[in-house]
Amino acid sequence: PSIVIWTTTPWTIPANRAISYGPEIAYGLYEVTAMEEGLDFEPWAKPGDRLIVADKLAEDVFKAAKIATWTRLDDLNPSGLECAHPLAALSPGYGFSVPLLAGDHVTDDAGTGFVHTAPGHGADDYDVWKAHGHHEVPDTVDADGAYYDHVPLFAGLKVIETEGKKDKIGKFGAANKVVTEKLIEAGNLLARGRMEHSYPHSWRSKAPVIFRNTPQWFIRMDQPLSDDSTLRERALSAIDATAFHPAAGKNRIRSMVESRPDWLISRQRAWGTPLAMFVDKQTGQPLVDAEVDARILTAVTAGGADAWFETPDAEFLGQHDVSRFEKIEDILDVWFDSGCTHAFTLEARDPAHGYTGDRPSHWPADLYLEGSDQHRGWFQSNLLEGSGTRGRAPYDAVLTHGFTQDEQGKKMSKSLGNTTDPAVVIKESGADILRLWVALVDYAEDQRIGKQILQTTVEAYRKLRNTVRYLLGALDGFDETERLPYDQMPPLEKFVLHRLHELDGEVRAAYADYRFQDVVRPVLEFCSNDLSALYFDVRKDSLYCDRPDAIRRRAARTVMDEVFLRLTAWLAPLAPFTTEEAWTTRFPDGGSNCARVIPETPAEWSNPAEADRWAGVQKVLEVVNEALEAARREKVIGGALDAWPVVTGPADAFAAFAGLDAAEVFRTSGAELVHGADAVSVEVRLADHPKCARSWRRVPDVGSDPDYPELSARDADAVRFLDARRA
């Protein structure tokens, strides 16, 4: 009987060394009983032929072979069977046995249930061949795409064209046709036909490619090193000792290193970093000689990598017999080149290695950062070389980011016209806009950018910039004599200082973990909610109208100074141009803001009780603001200072207002809190008092000072103080 195999690459048949079968697939022995009639050609099968195929595929196979009827004779277990090569009858060069090997890659979805196995021309073929203890891999096709001279029947025949005109390169040669004809001659072709299927092509030239195994140089992952550990073990330990951002990166690179094969480091290219070594032709072992290595190093230092290829072998080998050694002219995998960068960019400037210049560095690096594809590339090559030569990774932490796409999530392409040019963004909006966009995206995933998305970033930037501008104006002339100690601070100031204490911890932790979103977003919310919507609005009256030495105004300016010092430090890495401008505007002789460190925040600023109080105040304030807005729409009042709201509610709702001026919190001229209802409600009454010409508040004491009949008592006192200071 014959085992039926199938292939889309007849040119690999000379390299066949085995047949793979699926251990879970049901196979049967079949006998041909009749062929189809009325055909234009004589089929290759004959009644009486016995064929072995997968049961599930038998009908398809027989139809392709024009077999009309058949009989299943028996089950068949392929394990342990051996076959003759299909070309054995034509040449003694194919007189070896072809074993059947169990392989998990074999399916009964298509074909015959058996896979022709040429270990020199396919990854699955190679793996199953090696897994069954076979080590010799035949070389059948040379680097020019032709059969080697030692290949029986087909010596020199082209498999694929690699030379000539551009339209010829990548075209298949005569091999497929000639091999098929030889199979017919040997009586071992059952059927043939045409089919469309995917086939590997060069990503650069778009020409078809073929697979061929060639001798290469490897770094072994599991060979014991000087301390009896293996490179794989060292690398896995180094991964466990490294911080990954995001954390999922650790599992990703760890699974790759756990299962990766030996590292293939040689390439056959026209130019690159050479594997600068000689190999003993008799033993196949590399020459290990310190004097030879020193001569190679001297030559390459003086003449670059080309010195290895251009210098006569004798100049390197010295007393060694030149005829005995082969110069290796393969080049290194470029990932090996990339993996040694730490040794030159970091160690060369490390004072621990004798560096005395003004740009010191240190090894290992604090952080490596690149795209998520580099778990397989740069991160891993540095990991392996660092672990192999220095016992650990050359970094303490690794950060990976996604890829930048357009607003619709599509890959950017000049041909599609959907690219975003950073230079254009910087020219139109400033570099800080681009930096803030980076800080605001979730870099762990692919991120999107475009005009609409950038507009959102611009709005966020304006909020930050306007906050800093307000602080610059409010702090004009502030000095240390005006600073107020914490124990004299009003409740509102203590609340803002508590928020600074909270934010300082969040910002430091976020920076430590490279969570830039968690720096910008909380700071933005602080600027919008705590500062702009509450603190600045409440303290605006005090800043403009209190006398300069008033406790409330001094407290406000002290707190605003602390806010300014922290905002400019927190945001310096993310919006350096804006914060530098703000810092040098306020402190022209204060040096660069980028050279500052975040100020320490006193522990006494932590005040959860004050935070709870203002959470309660905010609940009442929301109801009051809604009522004031409704009254404004209905033209009952022109502005909040025209109002004197009466707020009714349960006592516990007003407990937070103990020690506070409700009118100050509501930004109205006056207010009354009345206990007695289950829910908070507001009656907006008009402030029925004269209007202060300075603060615009309508309060009973307007005109109480005869020297300033149009002012409230507070404003009259402030103006008298200012007049006296100017006198």
Side-chain angles (χ1 to χ4, degrees):
S2 298
I3 288 178
V4 183
I5 64 173
W6 79 299
T7 181
T8 57
T9 54
W11 64 266
T12 61
I13 292 294
N16 176 274
R17 292 297 182 272
I19 298 171
S20 297
Y21 67 91
E24 304 301 323
I25 296 175
Y27 295 95
L29 172 63
Y30 293 82
E31 182 174 302
V32 178
T33 55
M35 303 300 297
E36 293 183 13
E37 298 179 353
L39 300 174
D40 295 333
F41 62 93
E42 182 179 356
W44 289 300
K46 298 288 187 294
D49 287 349
R50 292 190 172 188
L51 306 174
I52 300 171
V53 296
D55 289 333
K56 182 180 175 182
L57 297 167
E59 183 174 353
D60 292 339
V61 171
F62 298 149
K63 284 183 178 180
K66 306 303 179 184
I67 297 171
T69 60
W70 57 88
T71 301
R72 188 180 190 278
L73 301 179
D74 203 353
D75 295 340
L76 189 132
N77 181 0
S79 177
L81 295 181
E82 290 188 351
C83 296
H85 193 281
L87 298 173
L90 303 183
S91 170
Y94 297 105
F96 46 83
S97 294
V98 177
L100 274 84
L101 308 177
D104 293 335
H105 65 292
V106 183
T107 70
D108 55 4
D109 295 334
T112 68
F114 292 101
V115 175
H116 145 61
T117 300
H121 296 293
D124 287 335
D125 303 45
Y126 177 85
D127 289 340
V128 73
W129 180 249
K130 298 288 280 189
H132 285 271
H134 300 281
H135 300 291
E136 293 299 321
V137 176
D139 289 329
T140 52
V141 179
D142 66 20
D144 294 322
Y147 288 119
Y148 283 111
D149 290 341
H150 63 258
V151 177
L153 304 176
F154 309 108
L157 195 63
K158 275 285 189 178
V159 172
I160 195 168
E161 298 293 342
T162 58
E163 297 177 343
K165 294 183 178 180
K166 186 176 181 180
D167 62 341
K168 297 294 185 184
I169 295 177
K171 300 291 185 181
F172 283 102
N176 277 331
K177 179 181 178 183
V178 175
V179 171
T180 302
E181 291 171 348
K182 288 296 182 182
L183 288 171
I184 295 172
E185 181 182 341
N188 283 322
L189 188 65
L190 181 65
R192 65 179 173 184
R194 303 184 70 85
M195 65 177 294
E196 287 188 8
H197 64 101
S198 60
Y199 189 85
H201 285 66
S202 165
W203 65 270
R204 177 172 291 175
S205 69
K206 307 300 188 270
V209 297
I210 63 171
F211 291 97
R212 52 186 290 271
N213 277 7
T214 56
Q216 301 290 343
W217 293 93
F218 294 83
I219 293 176
R220 293 180 179 173
M221 293 296 297
D222 299 306
Q223 178 171 300
L225 302 173
S226 58
D227 59 354
D228 291 331
S229 66
T230 66
L231 179 55
R232 192 186 310 276
E233 290 169 345
R234 285 188 185 181
L236 291 173
S237 295
I239 290 170
D240 292 339
T242 300
F244 286 87
H245 310 278
K250 177 179 180 178
N251 292 335
R252 178 174 166 81
I253 192 171
R254 203 177 202 287
S255 65
M256 290 177 177
V257 172
E258 282 177 334
S259 60
R260 70 159 295 146
D262 291 343
W263 187 1
L264 169 61
I265 61 167
S266 56
R267 296 290 187 273
Q268 292 71 51
R269 298 286 187 272
W271 184 88
T273 304
L275 275 84
M277 62 180 175
F278 290 92
V279 172
D280 190 319
K281 295 178 182 178
Q282 297 177 12
T283 65
Q285 294 300 308
L287 172 63
V288 180
D289 186 317
E291 293 183 1
V292 172
D293 292 344
R295 286 191 284 269
I296 294 171
L297 180 61
T298 299
V300 172
T301 300
D306 287 345
W308 171 251
F309 303 103
E310 297 170 354
T311 304
D313 295 1
E315 292 188 22
F316 291 133
L317 289 170
Q319 301 301 315
H320 293 283
D321 181 359
V322 175
S323 65
R324 180 174 173 175
F325 292 93
E326 175 189 0
K327 177 192 283 186
I328 301 302
E329 296 196 342
D330 291 351
I331 66 165
L332 279 166
D333 170 20
V334 292
W335 287 113
F336 190 94
D337 284 356
S338 80
C340 66
T341 48
H342 63 91
F344 305 101
T345 58
L346 299 180
E347 281 188 341
R349 293 189 290 115
D350 191 339
H353 290 80
Y355 179 78
T356 58
D358 60 355
R359 298 184 64 195
S361 182
H362 60 83
W363 192 100
D366 296 313
L367 178 73
Y368 270 39
L369 66 157
E370 248 291 358
S372 55
D373 57 332
Q374 296 306 314
H375 288 116
R376 192 179 301 279
W378 189 52
F379 297 147
Q380 193 171 148
S381 64
N382 276 264
L383 168 71
L384 295 179
E385 291 188 40
S387 298
T389 61
R390 290 154 176 79
R392 59 153 296 166
Y395 41 68
D396 288 331
V398 167
L399 183 149
T400 51
H401 55 78
F403 296 91
T404 303
Q405 303 168 333
D406 73 2
E407 285 184 304
Q408 282 70 48
K410 297 178 181 177
K411 180 181 177 181
M412 290 192 189
S413 167
K414 288 183 179 179
S415 61
L416 294 177
N418 64 342
T419 59
T420 296
D421 187 343
V424 173
V425 176
I426 292 171
K427 182 178 180 180
E428 293 178 350
S429 304
D432 281 354
I433 296 297
L434 200 59
R435 296 174 70 94
L436 275 179
W437 168 80
V438 172
L440 283 165
V441 299
D442 180 4
Y443 61 74
E445 305 292 337
D446 290 345
Q447 54 273 339
R448 301 181 181 188
I449 191 171
K451 288 189 175 181
Q452 196 63 41
I453 291 172
L454 284 172
Q455 185 57 41
T456 303
T457 308
V458 169
E459 292 167 5
Y461 169 77
R462 283 177 181 156
K463 173 55 64 179
L464 294 173
R465 184 176 180 86
N466 288 341
T467 299
V468 174
R469 286 184 64 188
Y470 183 90
L471 289 169
L472 283 173
L475 289 168
D476 183 43
F478 177 82
D479 60 32
E480 289 303 309
T481 61
E482 192 178 339
R483 189 175 299 279
L484 199 69
Y486 181 78
D487 59 4
Q488 295 183 37
M489 293 286 180
L492 180 55
E493 275 62 33
K494 288 186 176 181
F495 167 66
V496 175
L497 291 176
H498 170 76
R499 290 291 293 122
L500 284 180
H501 184 276
E502 279 188 326
L503 270 177
D504 189 63
E506 292 177 27
V507 167
R508 290 174 187 270
Y511 271 130
D513 290 337
Y514 307 103
R515 293 180 285 108
F516 305 117
Q517 275 187 322
D518 294 338
V519 174
V520 179
R521 294 192 188 282
V523 171
L524 271 172
E525 291 170 4
F526 173 68
C527 290
S528 296
N529 301 335
D530 297 319
L531 295 182
S532 181
L534 178 67
Y535 188 57
F536 290 169
D537 209 23
V538 170
R539 283 293 178 252
K540 179 170 59 177
D541 175 75
S542 176
L543 283 173
Y544 293 167
C545 300
D546 282 357
R547 55 187 283 171
D549 62 349
I551 293 295
R552 184 171 61 177
R553 189 174 189 276
R554 287 177 59 196
R557 299 239 294 172
T558 299
V559 168
M560 288 183 183
D561 177 65
E562 300 290 4
V563 171
F564 179 87
L565 295 178
R566 280 156 185 79
L567 281 184
T568 50
W570 289 341
L571 296 174
L574 307 180
F577 297 98
T578 301
T579 53
E580 185 77 8
E581 178 187 2
W583 179 260
T584 54
T585 296
R586 188 176 175 205
F587 302 112
D589 301 322
S592 172
N593 184 63
C594 292
R596 295 172 60 215
V597 296
I598 298 174
E600 292 299 324
T601 298
E604 67 174 343
W605 289 5
S606 177
N607 196 333
E610 204 62 58
D612 291 342
R613 174 218 286 270
W614 284 92
V617 169
Q618 290 276 29
K619 291 179 181 178
V620 176
L621 181 57
E622 287 178 10
V623 179
V624 173
N625 284 341
E626 289 176 4
L628 291 173
E629 184 58 33
R632 190 180 292 112
R633 286 196 306 269
E634 296 167 5
K635 302 190 184 310
V636 174
I637 58 174
L641 290 176
D642 294 333
W644 197 290
V646 177
V647 185
T648 304
D652 58 350
F654 298 144
F657 284 82
L660 300 180
D661 180 351
E664 180 181 66
V665 174
F666 300 152
R667 284 81 102 189
T668 56
S669 290
E672 293 181 35
L673 302 179
V674 180
H675 298 179
D678 294 332
V680 176
S681 61
V682 181
E683 178 189 357
V684 179
R685 298 178 182 176
L686 284 172
D688 191 18
H689 299 287
K691 181 178 181 180
C692 174
R694 184 167 180 262
S695 66
W696 293 10
R697 293 186 308 147
R698 296 180 180 275
V699 289
D701 60 6
V702 172
S704 60
D705 190 320
D707 292 336
Y708 302 97
E710 295 182 344
L711 303 182
S712 68
R714 186 275 308 264
D715 288 274
D717 179 58
V719 172
R720 179 175 286 107
F721 176 88
L722 294 171
D723 286 346
R725 194 164 66 175
R726 284 195 294 267

